[in-house]
């Protein structure tokens, strides 16, 4: 509908990041992942904590996902 289209165009609605219906991470998860990485924790170790592939964590920490 026009209302839905308008809401996405103006930024009132979003399916990006943790608000996406298939998101595996909350905003606090992303913050924690970024903190762990900045403290030198390896991608593979963070990935193991969250049960995802290390490339997923890599994309989060480089801003490809959840930017």
């Amino acid at each position: 509908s026009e209302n839905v289209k308008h809401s996405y165009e103006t930024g009132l609605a979003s399916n990006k990041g943790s608000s996406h219906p298939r998101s595996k991470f909350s905003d606090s998860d992303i913050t924690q992942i970024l903190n762990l990485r900045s403290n030198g924790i390896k991608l593979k170790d963070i990935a193991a904590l969250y049960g995802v592939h290390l490339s997923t964590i890599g994309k989060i920490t480089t801003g490809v996902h959840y930017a």
Side-chain angles (χ1 to χ4, degrees):
S1 77
E2 288 295 317
N3 286 339
V4 172
K5 183 178 175 184
H6 177 261
S7 68
Y8 279 95
E9 289 172 351
T10 59
L12 296 172
S14 174
N15 269 344
K16 293 184 178 183
S18 62
S19 63
H20 191 280
R22 290 184 288 173
S23 173
K24 294 180 186 268
F25 303 102
S26 67
D27 289 337
S28 63
D29 289 335
I30 299 304
T31 301
Q32 181 65 24
I33 288 167
L34 296 173
N35 286 336
L36 289 169
R37 188 66 182 131
S38 69
N39 286 319
I41 307 301
K42 294 179 181 179
L43 293 176
K44 68 176 186 170
D45 295 332
I46 300 170
L49 285 172
Y50 287 93
V52 297
H53 193 271
L54 66 94
S55 67
T56 302
I57 301 300
K59 289 175 183 176
I60 291 170
T61 60
T62 58
V64 174
H65 292 312
Y66 296 93

